[in-house]
Amino acid sequence: MQVSVETTSALERKLTVSIPAEDVDTEAQKRLQQLSRTVRLNGFRPGKVPFKVVKKRFGDSVRHEVLGELMQQYFYKAIIQEKITPAGAPFVEPTKNEEGQDVEFTATFEVYPEVEIKDLSGIEVEKLTAEVKDEDLSDMLDTLREQRASWVEVKRKAKEGDQVVIDFVGSIDGEEFEGGKAENHPLELGTGSMIPGFEDQLVDAKAGDEVEVKVTFPEDYHAENLAGKEAVFKTTVHKVNKKELPKVGELAEALGVEDGNINKMKEDVRANMERELKNALSSKVKEQVMDGLLKVHDDITAPKAAVDSEIDAMRKQMISQYGGNEDMAANLPASMFEEQAMRRVKLGLVIGGVIKAKELKAENADIDSQLEELASVYEQPEEVISWYKEDKSRLSQIEQLVLEQKVVDLVLSEAKVTDKETSFKEIMDQKR
C-alpha cells in the first residue's frame, strides 16, 4: 500500500493512498456475480440474467459501493501505518478511478496538537477550608422543616409570612388586561412573587375582605404593553393560612429515619452536609486548577473537528435534558455552545498531555476507592459498584475521574497554594 502524507496547515494533514486495482475489481466482480443470481429483470428468469447485462446495469453502482468501503478500510490502515491520530472524520475524495488501474484517493483531516506541558509553579490556587458547625446543622434542620411545612387556616388578619388564598381581576384605565386574572390563587406574603407593592396591601386583610390593590408595573416588566402602567386589582380574600412546621421528631420520620430517632437523623443530616461540603470545596479547587492549566497553556490550538464534535454532543445533551428530537438538536445554533466546547476540547488536550508527560495511571485500588465513595450515597452501594464494573465504558468514566484528580493533585503539589478559612454557609451560598 502506497501512502504519502502532506502537512497542509498546523493541524491539517492530507493523505494520498493507493488501492491496488485487483482489490477493487475482484470485489466488484464478486458482488456482481452474486447479484446475477438474485436480481430480477424483465425478460429474464430469476437467476438467469446474463452477467454482461448485470454488469452493464449495475456495474457503476456496485463499483462505487465497493470503492467507498475499501477507501475507509485503506484509510484506517494508512493512519495506523503512519502513526497518525485524526481529530475528526476525514474528507475522502477519489482522484484516480479507472477500471483495471490502481485507485488513488486523498483523505484530508485534522490531527491533535502535540501538547508541551509547561511550568506549573506559576498557577495560583486558593484552597478554602470549612467545617459543619452545630449552628449550620440547626439552620439545615430549620430549612428541612420549612420545606415540609403545611398551611393551616386561621381566623385572623393576615401578616407577613402568612398565605392568603385570593381571587383577583386586574385592570388599567378601567379595562381588564390579559393575564391579570386568577381564582383561588395561593400567595405567601413577603415572598415578592407578585408586582412590587401588591403583597404589602394584603397585610391585615382577613377572610371575606375585598381589597383594591393599586400598583405600578415596573418599567422593565417582561410584557411591554404593561411596563410602567398603573393598575388596579380587585381582590377577594377567601382564606388566611399560617405556616405550620413539623416537629423535629416528625421531620425524622419524614426523612425515613427508623423510629423517628432524632439523634440518628441529626447524624445522617450532618454526614450529608459534610459530604456536600467536601464535594463543593473539591470542586472549587479543581475549577481553579483547570483555569490555571488553560491559562498556562493558552497557546494551544483546538482542532475544529474536535470542537464541532463537542458542540454536537452538547446539543444532544441539551435536547436529552429538556426534551426534543435530533432535528431540533441540529437546529440549535453552534454559537450557543462554541465557547464552552472550545474550553472542553483544550482542557481535554492539556489534561491528556499532563497524564502522558507525568505517566499518571489509574490503579485498581484508586478506581475501587472512587467507586466506593460514589456509591456510598445510595441505599445499596454494592449494586451501584457492580453496575459500573459490568460495563467497560461506564468503568472508564470512573477511571477518567481518578486520572483528573491525579492531575489536580499534581498541579497542587507544584502550584502556589494559599489556604483560606471560610464557612459552610458561604460555600453553599456560592454553590447556588
Side-chain angles (χ1 to χ4, degrees):
M1 178 178 64
Q2 293 182 351
V3 180
S4 65
V5 183
E6 180 184 355
T7 300
T8 52
S9 71
L11 296 182
E12 189 177 83
R13 302 291 182 270
K14 185 176 183 179
L15 288 182
T16 301
V17 185
S18 64
I19 305 175
E22 183 182 357
D23 288 7
V24 181
D25 295 340
T26 300
E27 182 61 26
Q29 188 89 347
K30 176 183 172 184
R31 295 192 188 187
L32 285 169
Q33 288 172 344
Q34 291 172 344
L35 190 60
S36 68
R37 294 192 289 269
T38 58
V39 71
R40 292 176 178 273
L41 291 178
N42 291 335
F44 299 97
R45 287 181 294 162
K48 299 297 182 180
V49 182
F51 181 79
K52 288 183 179 179
V53 174
V54 173
K55 184 175 181 180
K56 183 177 180 181
R57 183 78 173 268
F58 302 104
D60 288 345
S61 61
V62 167
R63 182 179 174 84
H64 180 76
E65 178 186 281
V66 168
L67 186 57
E69 293 177 11
L70 287 177
M71 285 193 299
Q72 186 178 44
Q73 292 172 19
Y74 271 76
F75 169 71
Y76 285 114
K77 288 179 182 178
I79 61 174
I80 292 171
Q81 175 180 305
E82 301 299 322
K83 297 182 173 59
I84 299 173
T85 304
F91 173 71
V92 178
E93 185 178 27
T95 53
K96 291 181 182 178
N97 181 18
E98 295 292 334
E99 190 172 350
Q101 297 181 23
D102 289 354
V103 171
E104 187 177 275
F105 71 91
T106 59
T108 307
F109 54 91
E110 287 182 296
V111 296
Y112 291 104
E114 286 293 326
V115 179
E116 181 184 348
I117 300 306
K118 299 182 181 177
D119 182 14
L120 307 178
S121 62
I123 295 176
E124 297 182 3
V125 178
E126 184 179 67
K127 195 172 182 180
L128 301 175
T129 59
E131 61 181 27
V132 177
K133 298 184 177 179
D134 290 343
E135 54 264 35
D136 297 319
L137 176 61
S138 180
D139 289 344
M140 180 59 72
L141 292 174
D142 288 343
T143 298
L144 292 170
R145 290 175 68 204
E146 283 278 350
Q147 291 172 351
R148 289 159 179 78
S150 56
W151 295 103
V152 179
E153 187 174 2
V154 290
K155 302 297 183 183
R156 59 165 172 75
K157 293 180 179 180
K159 58 185 180 181
E160 191 167 304
D162 285 343
Q163 181 193 72
V164 290
V165 180
I166 57 175
D167 295 345
F168 59 81
V169 178
S171 61
I172 295 176
D173 297 330
E175 295 288 332
E176 292 184 19
F177 56 87
E178 188 177 351
K181 184 177 183 179
E183 294 181 352
N184 292 315
H185 178 75
L187 174 63
E188 185 176 350
L189 303 180
T191 58
S193 58
M194 297 291 279
I195 304 162
F198 191 105
E199 295 168 24
D200 297 341
Q201 296 175 57
L202 293 175
V203 172
D204 290 335
K206 60 183 185 300
D209 283 358
E210 294 186 355
V211 182
E212 274 201 353
V213 176
K214 298 178 180 179
V215 295
T216 301
F217 282 94
E219 293 291 343
D220 59 352
Y221 195 65
H222 61 85
E224 292 183 8
N225 61 314
L226 301 177
K229 300 287 183 65
E230 293 182 359
V232 176
F233 288 85
K234 291 185 177 180
T235 306
T236 301
V237 180
H238 294 301
K239 287 182 183 179
V240 176
N241 298 325
K242 73 170 183 177
K243 185 180 288 185
E244 193 166 89
L245 303 179
K247 295 177 181 177
V248 179
E250 294 171 337
L251 176 62
E253 291 179 3
L255 293 176
V257 178
E258 288 185 18
D259 304 321
N261 187 312
I262 293 174
N263 288 333
K264 178 67 168 59
M265 176 195 66
K266 289 182 177 180
E267 289 175 7
D268 290 349
V269 172
R270 183 186 285 272
N272 284 332
M273 292 172 68
E274 288 172 344
R275 189 182 300 111
E276 276 195 55
L277 178 61
K278 178 185 175 183
N279 290 337
L281 291 171
S282 177
S283 293
K284 287 187 175 298
V285 169
K286 185 175 181 178
E287 184 179 356
Q288 291 178 73
V289 167
M290 297 306 168
D291 287 344
L293 281 172
L294 282 176
K295 189 175 181 180
V296 168
H297 301 89
D298 62 350
D299 58 344
I300 284 182
T301 302
K304 185 179 182 302
V307 175
D308 289 344
S309 178
E310 188 64 35
I311 288 172
D312 190 48
M314 292 170 70
R315 280 186 177 123
K316 291 176 180 176
Q317 184 180 11
M318 176 175 281
I319 289 297
S320 174
Q321 184 175 354
Y322 296 106
N325 53 45
E326 288 190 10
D327 289 340
M328 291 175 64
N331 289 328
L332 291 172
S335 57
M336 287 178 62
F337 312 99
E338 193 166 9
E339 184 176 346
Q340 190 177 358
M342 183 74 74
R343 174 185 167 86
R344 286 186 183 183
V345 171
K346 286 186 175 182
L347 201 50
L349 291 170
V350 176
I351 290 172
V354 173
I355 291 169
K356 181 180 178 181
K358 303 297 182 178
E359 299 182 346
L360 302 179
K361 294 181 181 179
E363 305 292 348
N364 289 336
D366 300 324
I367 294 172
D368 289 342
S369 178
Q370 181 73 43
L371 269 175
E372 287 171 10
E373 184 176 350
L374 184 149
S376 65
V377 298
Y378 295 90
E379 289 185 9
Q380 296 177 310
E382 64 283 351
E383 289 188 6
V384 176
I385 292 172
S386 296
W387 184 79
Y388 274 100
K389 286 193 170 184
E390 68 189 15
D391 185 277
K392 287 184 178 180
S393 64
R394 291 196 285 260
L395 195 61
S396 69
Q397 296 173 17
I398 304 301
E399 183 180 358
Q400 188 60 37
L401 286 176
V402 170
L403 286 171
E404 284 184 7
Q405 187 56 49
K406 285 183 177 288
V407 171
V408 171
D409 294 340
L410 174 75
V411 174
L412 291 176
S413 70
E414 299 184 21
K416 297 175 183 176
V417 181
T418 56
D419 293 326
K420 180 183 177 182
E421 191 173 339
T422 184
S423 66
F424 174 85
K425 186 177 186 303
E426 187 175 348
I427 293 295
M428 291 300 113
D429 285 347
Q430 289 175 11
K431 187 179 175 182
R432 296 187 192 98

